[in-house]
Amino acid sequence: MDGKQENSWFKKIFTVFIIIVVTLAAPARPSPELLHEESGEEFCPEDEYRSRKGHCCNKCHAGFRLEQECESSHLKSICKPCPKDYYMENSNNAKNCFRCNTCKSNERMQSECKPKENRKCVCNDGYFKQSISKFTWQCLKCTTCGEGEEQRIPCSGSTNRECDCKEKFYRNSNKICEECKKCNSDQKCNHLCRKSDTDWQLAFVVVIAVMSVLILITVYMFIQKRRSCHKQEIVVSPVSSDSETSKNLLSYVSEDEKTVKDPALIPLPKHEPPVWQDPSGQEELPDCIPRVFKTCHFIYFLLQHVPASRFKELVRSLGVSERDIEWAERDNHTCKEAQFQMLKVWCDSSRGDEVETLSKARLLEMTETLRGMGLMAGAEAIEANFQIL
């Protein structure tokens, strides 16, 4: 049993050794690619193809199809031309040609079917091409411009016609072009607004604006003038029979600034006669001869003793009309000048008096009017200063 086992192991080892030796000693078999490289047939040129038998065969030219493969690389393939209405654009090894297109309705043939070129079709006039997929399309009728519309983009084989409204038309809410009949916000209807509405409205607005500005300016000036009359204050000097009081004319100042506002009203020269005199120039007259007084001296004196707030009441009581009061305020720059003019109107209303003098009767009328208004101080100042009691 021991001898048999040893022989068995020896046979196994010897068999493995023989296999290894044979494997290492056998020549390596080249790969198919190497065999093709050695034979020059592993890659076919661009105008050839590999046949089912493994060798390269020539391709058929455009316009032909393959009828039979070449038997070897040294022989030619058998090709036949494409039949009628079939084509093949490129060199090939296809068994069949492609069928040419057929022009559909609304299409016309642009070029005939040829063995090397497919039939070409285009849309008829008045139709445009709309793509369905990469290789299919359909021809649809172009849009027709309606009434009031004009062509903006013409109809072509690849583009539909686009329309827009004509001049003096606009597109309404129903997308229909309607003729402009009145001015509206649409720009194409501005021609109706140009003269009939827009210009007239603009001119009306301008006139209203100018009139409003003028009215505001007038009201402002009137208010300022009224305020200036009420703010002005008369500088009242104490009543005295001294001749210096009679010779000084009226000066007045504002409440805010204690400066003379009317330099035109200057004092009388020192050689002027007393406040009253008769036309002959005599200072003392008999009681039987009525005395007369200078108008301007009297007015200046009166303005010192009548409050500005009651001056219009006084001149109205004396009979000065509202029209004369209004004209005096309008024609004079200052309130005192206007008041002087109002009293001047009353002084001139006495037809029997001299132009520049007042009678004793007019002074008495003034004192009675002042007493009737409750201005007793003013009346007494006139009587004391002009000695008319």
Side-chain angles (χ1 to χ4, degrees):
M1 289 295 291
D2 295 334
K4 291 181 179 181
Q5 289 180 352
E6 291 177 358
N7 290 331
S8 174
W9 280 105
F10 178 78
K11 287 181 181 180
K12 288 180 180 180
I13 293 171
F14 182 75
T15 301
V16 171
F17 176 77
I18 293 298
I19 291 171
I20 293 173
V21 171
V22 171
T23 302
L24 295 176
R29 185 177 179 181
S31 63
E33 289 79 5
L34 295 176
L35 291 174
H36 288 308
E37 285 183 2
E38 292 177 359
S39 63
E41 297 178 355
E42 71 282 2
F43 292 112
C44 296
E46 186 178 356
D47 59 345
E48 294 182 358
Y49 69 97
R50 187 169 299 282
S51 67
R52 287 175 293 178
K53 295 180 180 181
H55 56 271
C56 293
C57 291
N58 63 296
K59 292 181 180 180
C60 296
H61 295 298
F64 290 82
R65 65 178 180 85
L66 179 65
E67 179 68 18
Q68 184 179 344
E69 291 183 341
C70 63
E71 294 296 331
S72 68
S73 59
H74 302 291
L75 298 176
K76 296 289 186 182
S77 301
I78 298 175
C79 299
K80 285 190 175 182
C82 293
K84 184 179 180 181
D85 287 336
Y86 286 83
Y87 74 100
M88 186 64 71
E89 291 181 339
N90 304 311
S91 58
N92 65 94
N93 61 327
K95 292 292 185 180
N96 297 306
C97 296
F98 295 106
R99 188 175 183 84
C100 290
N101 292 331
T102 301
C103 294
K104 304 174 185 177
S105 59
N106 303 327
E107 296 179 347
R108 69 176 186 276
M109 185 173 61
Q110 186 179 31
S111 62
E112 186 58 82
C113 178
K114 300 175 182 178
K116 297 182 181 180
E117 186 179 350
N118 191 11
R119 179 182 288 111
K120 292 183 179 180
C121 301
V122 294
C123 295
N124 292 333
D125 294 339
Y127 291 81
F128 71 99
K129 182 186 291 186
Q130 183 185 57
S131 297
I132 299 176
S133 65
K134 185 176 181 181
F135 301 103
T136 58
W137 70 88
Q138 62 180 346
C139 289
L140 300 178
K141 190 174 181 64
C142 290
T143 302
T144 302
C145 293
E147 184 178 357
E149 295 181 331
E150 59 184 1
Q151 178 177 274
R152 186 169 66 89
I153 298 178
C155 174
S156 62
S158 59
T159 307
N160 190 15
R161 179 183 289 110
E162 293 186 15
C163 304
D164 201 356
C165 292
K166 295 180 180 178
E167 187 179 1
K168 299 181 181 181
F169 282 76
Y170 70 98
R171 198 173 296 278
N172 59 22
S173 58
N174 296 325
K175 307 300 181 183
I176 299 175
C177 288
E178 185 177 348
E179 185 178 2
C180 294
K181 295 182 180 178
K182 61 180 181 179
C183 173
N184 58 22
S185 59
D186 195 288
Q187 294 183 354
K188 290 194 172 183
C189 293
N190 284 344
H191 64 284
L192 297 177
C193 312
R194 196 170 304 149
K195 292 183 180 180
S196 58
D197 293 329
T198 305
D199 291 350
W200 182 85
Q201 292 176 359
L202 180 61
F204 178 76
V205 170
V206 171
V207 170
I208 293 298
V210 172
M211 291 180 63
S212 300
V213 171
L214 293 176
I215 291 173
L216 289 175
I217 291 174
T218 303
V219 172
Y220 175 78
M221 293 178 64
F222 179 76
I223 292 174
Q224 289 297 108
K225 189 172 182 180
R226 286 297 183 92
R227 286 179 178 176
S228 65
C229 286
H230 288 292
K231 286 183 179 181
Q232 287 170 349
E233 176 185 46
I234 300 174
V235 178
V236 181
S237 59
V239 178
S240 174
S241 60
D242 189 2
S243 60
E244 190 65 24
T245 305
S246 305
K247 295 176 181 178
N248 290 334
L249 300 182
L250 176 68
S251 298
Y252 64 95
V253 295
S254 65
E255 293 178 348
D256 299 330
E257 298 179 0
K258 300 301 182 178
T259 57
V260 176
K261 293 295 184 177
D262 193 359
L265 302 179
I266 60 174
L268 291 173
K270 293 184 177 181
H271 63 273
E272 285 287 332
V275 174
W276 55 267
Q277 66 175 9
D278 64 351
S280 64
Q282 296 179 356
E283 296 184 9
E284 297 291 336
L285 295 177
D287 293 337
C288 58
I289 301 176
R291 294 175 177 178
V292 290
F293 309 88
K294 281 192 174 182
T295 302
C296 61
H297 290 181
F298 173 74
I299 293 176
Y300 289 141
F301 183 84
L302 181 64
L303 289 175
Q304 295 179 4
H305 296 84
V306 177
S309 59
R310 303 196 64 185
F311 189 83
K312 286 187 180 180
E313 180 185 353
L314 171 63
V315 293
R316 289 191 181 100
S317 300
L318 293 172
V320 179
S321 65
E322 293 294 334
R323 182 183 64 178
D324 291 333
I325 294 173
E326 183 178 347
W327 284 357
E329 289 181 334
R330 183 192 62 187
D331 296 341
N332 293 277
H333 297 289
T334 65
C335 184
K336 291 304 177 182
E337 290 179 356
Q339 292 173 353
F340 182 92
Q341 183 62 34
M342 295 175 198
L343 285 176
K344 188 69 165 57
V345 171
W346 171 75
C347 293
D348 294 342
S349 64
S350 178
R351 298 179 179 274
D353 292 339
E354 297 291 337
V355 176
E356 296 183 358
T357 59
L358 283 174
S359 65
K360 183 178 179 180
R362 299 293 279 177
L363 268 64
L364 291 173
E365 179 184 353
M366 176 63 72
T367 56
E368 293 299 327
T369 304
L370 291 172
R371 282 194 174 89
M373 294 172 57
L375 301 175
M376 305 299 295
E380 292 175 356
I382 294 173
E383 292 173 348
N385 192 75
F386 290 93
Q387 300 178 8
I388 59 173
L389 293 177

